[in-house]
């Protein structure tokens, strides 16, 4: 008797594994300097402070119980206060929804806001996690390119004038991943105006906003319109393993997200949410902790930029990071970074080719570099290895 194998859902046919996650498996070797992963530096994570908060939390057995689907109430109050200060208006705890990292927030929002075939505007190059979510939702994705001031709103306006009607515009507005740029205040205001004029949601993905180097980031896009849904997490300022993210949205959106989350995982972890509450409430400690991260990452970013420009000169152009974790670079010759990658790995350095972030048109000469997990000497050595890889590939 022959067996008929059950089929998987058709929507899986168009999905691909993240090229970055796949690359991380290849770069786990000790002999490779990885500038590929978007990881915060584990050495800067507050292990002892987290342990102390965990010990305190565990004195109350309630932290081992299920919590509300919308999140630990005390944490929602803390996030509401922090977001109120950033946005410049009062955010109530009813507008705060805690999720299992901000990626879950994005996934749940896609289910709430998008019907199959709905148009989503993303930036080009695009955040890979957003592409995975929107493709899984069956959205039609159109990319708008970035320049040094963020999303090209003139091109977005042309799309709107041509009759396109997005349901959602997604932006990593501050210290863009992977583009390394920040949307200017003027463009933030204009994007909000366009959302209100044409009736679309803006999802402002902001995991890096507190990681500024020399001056604070501009006011969030959410400062200019109630049609902006903000996402963030503590992964970059505390630790990814806490798995605490959130969205800030109108109450009706939060309630819709709640219905879906109940069907996905019921609720998040009371324990890690209480730990996070403790750390976020300890303002003097938190301020010093984040300042240390900013100083360290800022020094590393400047070191990497200097090494790249000293080594490659006009052959490579790169952004000047003012915060965040990444810089975006482009070879000015015909260097194909996807083709170069195996040779780079052989010489002991890893990066992410720009093609991994492309929506439609690939950019073969581009690459993303992460500067957070290596000290200055290691970053200089990484650039030297990249230079060697280019020589090897050219047969020099």
């Amino acid at each position: 008797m022959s067996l008929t194998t059950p089929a998987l859902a058709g929507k899986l046919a168009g999905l691909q594994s993240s090229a970055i996650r796949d690359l991380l498996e290849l770069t786990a070797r000790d002999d490779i300097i990885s500038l590929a992963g978007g990881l915060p530096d584990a050495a800067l994570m507050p292990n002892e402070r987290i342990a102390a908060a965990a010990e305190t939390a565990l004195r109350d057995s309630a932290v081992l119980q299920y919590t509300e689907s919308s999140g630990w109430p005390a944490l929602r109050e803390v996030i509401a206060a922090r977001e109120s200060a950033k946005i410049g208006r009062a955010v109530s705890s009813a507008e705060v929804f805690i999720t299992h990292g901000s990626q879950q927030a994005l996934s749940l929002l896609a289910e709430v806001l998008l019907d199959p075939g709905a148009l989503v505007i993303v930036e080009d190059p695009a955040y890979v996690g957003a592409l995975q979510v929107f493709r899984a939702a069956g959205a039609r994705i159109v990319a708008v390119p970035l320049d040094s001031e963020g999303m090209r709103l003139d091109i977005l306006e042309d799309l709107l004038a041509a009759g396109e009607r997005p349901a959602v515009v997604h932006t990593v507005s501050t210290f863009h991943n992977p583009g390394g740029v920040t949307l200017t205040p003027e463009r933030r205001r204009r994007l909000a105006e366009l959302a209100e004029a044409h009736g679309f949601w803006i999802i402002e993905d902001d995991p890096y906003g507190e990681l500024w180097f020399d001056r604070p980031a501009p006011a969030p896009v959410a400062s200019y319109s109630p049609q902006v849904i903000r996402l963030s997490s503590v992964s970059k300022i505390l630790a990814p393993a806490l798995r605490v993210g959130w969205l800030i949205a109108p109450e009706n959106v939060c309630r819709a997200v709640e219905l879906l989350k109940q069907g996905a995982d019921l609720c998040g972890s009371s324990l890690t949410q209480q730990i996070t509450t403790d750390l976020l409430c300890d303002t003097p400690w938190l301020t010093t902790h984040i300042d240390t991260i900013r100083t360290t990452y800022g020094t590393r970013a400047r070191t990497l930029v200097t090494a790249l420009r000293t080594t490659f000169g006009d052959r490579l152009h790169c952004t000047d990071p003012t915060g965040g974790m990444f810089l975006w670079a482009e070879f000015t010759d015909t260097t194909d970074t996807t083709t170069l990658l195996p040779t780079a790995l052989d010489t002991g350095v890893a990066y992410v080719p720009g093609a991994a972030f492309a929506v439609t048109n690939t950019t073969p000469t581009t690459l993303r570099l992460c500067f957070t997990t290596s000290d200055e000497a290691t970053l200089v050595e990484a650039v030297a290895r990249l230079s060697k890889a280019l020589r090897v590939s050219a047969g020099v």
Side-chain angles (χ1 to χ4, degrees):
M1 178 180 176
S2 61
L3 298 177
T4 301
T5 303
L8 300 178
K11 66 181 180 180
L12 291 171
L15 299 184
Q16 298 177 344
S17 175
S18 165
I20 301 168
R21 293 296 170 188
D22 293 345
L23 184 59
L24 287 178
E25 295 180 9
L26 297 175
T27 59
R29 300 195 332 244
D30 291 338
D31 60 326
I32 292 181
I33 301 173
S34 180
L35 307 181
L39 307 177
D41 188 349
L44 296 176
M45 295 176 193
N47 296 18
E48 294 182 3
R49 185 63 184 81
I50 290 173
E55 182 178 0
T56 300
L58 287 168
R59 293 173 187 163
D60 181 357
S61 60
V63 301
L64 300 180
Q65 187 55 275
Y66 292 109
T67 188
E68 298 175 17
S69 297
S70 55
W72 187 263
L75 178 59
R76 291 168 61 204
E77 291 286 351
V78 172
I79 298 300
R82 288 170 58 82
E83 288 291 322
S84 296
K86 292 177 183 178
I87 296 173
R89 69 166 178 84
V91 175
S92 71
S93 61
E95 298 172 87
V96 179
F97 196 95
I98 307 300
T99 56
H100 195 73
S102 61
Q103 186 69 17
Q104 186 188 50
L106 185 58
S107 179
L108 292 171
L109 281 173
E111 293 187 66
V112 166
L113 304 180
L114 301 174
D115 291 316
L119 173 61
V120 175
I121 302 292
V122 300
E123 293 153 326
D124 187 14
Y127 167 52
V128 171
L131 293 180
Q132 288 181 305
V133 163
F134 296 140
R135 285 167 177 159
R140 180 168 67 93
I141 301 172
V142 172
V144 171
L146 296 170
D147 63 15
S148 62
E149 297 184 351
M151 181 185 287
R152 290 275 305 276
L153 295 189
D154 57 322
I155 294 179
L156 175 59
E157 292 190 57
D158 288 344
L159 290 170
L160 295 170
E164 292 282 22
R165 290 297 175 262
V168 166
V169 172
H170 177 268
T171 177
V172 183
S173 56
T174 304
F175 313 135
H176 189 272
N177 176 15
V181 297
T182 294
L183 193 67
T184 62
E186 295 76 18
R187 290 193 187 181
R188 291 171 188 242
R189 181 181 295 105
R190 182 57 181 154
L191 180 57
E193 292 171 350
L194 292 172
E196 295 187 354
H198 295 277
F200 58 80
W201 291 101
I202 299 169
I203 297 179
E204 182 180 23
D205 221 338
D206 186 22
Y208 312 105
E210 295 194 62
L211 301 182
W212 47 269
F213 300 153
D214 298 318
R215 62 182 182 275
V221 182
S223 302
Y224 302 103
S225 173
Q227 288 177 210
V228 181
I229 300 172
R230 274 180 54 77
L231 311 183
S232 194
S233 79
V234 298
S235 293
K236 308 305 186 293
I237 61 170
L238 295 178
L242 291 172
R243 303 314 300 138
V244 172
W246 58 86
L247 62 89
I248 308 298
E251 289 186 43
N252 65 320
V253 174
C254 289
R255 299 293 73 79
V257 168
E258 184 172 12
L259 291 175
L260 290 174
K261 184 170 172 61
Q262 288 172 349
D265 63 2
L266 296 181
C267 64
S269 165
S270 301
L271 177 58
T272 61
Q273 290 183 26
Q274 179 54 44
I275 292 169
T276 301
T277 303
D278 186 333
L279 271 59
L280 293 182
C281 285
D282 190 350
T283 303
W285 170 84
L286 183 65
T287 299
T288 300
H289 170 68
I290 295 177
D291 281 346
T292 299
I293 297 174
R294 290 172 182 150
T295 300
T296 303
Y297 287 179
T299 300
R300 292 175 182 178
R302 289 185 284 271
T303 297
L304 180 57
V305 168
T306 299
L308 288 169
R309 290 176 176 162
T310 301
T311 302
F312 298 109
D314 292 339
R315 187 180 182 182
L316 182 139
H317 291 165
C318 67
T319 56
D320 282 292
T322 57
M325 298 170 56
F326 308 103
L327 67 81
W328 185 251
E330 181 172 8
F331 285 102
T332 57
D333 55 20
T334 58
T335 299
D336 186 313
T337 58
T338 300
T339 302
L340 177 65
L341 183 58
T343 305
L345 292 171
D346 287 342
T347 60
V349 64
Y351 57 82
V352 184
F357 307 97
V359 180
T360 51
N361 298 321
T362 60
T363 48
T365 59
T366 58
L367 64 160
R368 187 195 76 176
L369 301 174
C370 178
F371 47 76
T372 56
T373 55
S374 299
D375 60 25
E376 293 92 308
T378 304
L379 290 168
V380 172
E381 173 60 23
V383 174
R385 294 183 185 188
L386 181 59
S387 179
K388 179 181 177 181
L390 285 165
R391 295 193 301 273
V392 171
S393 67
V396 177

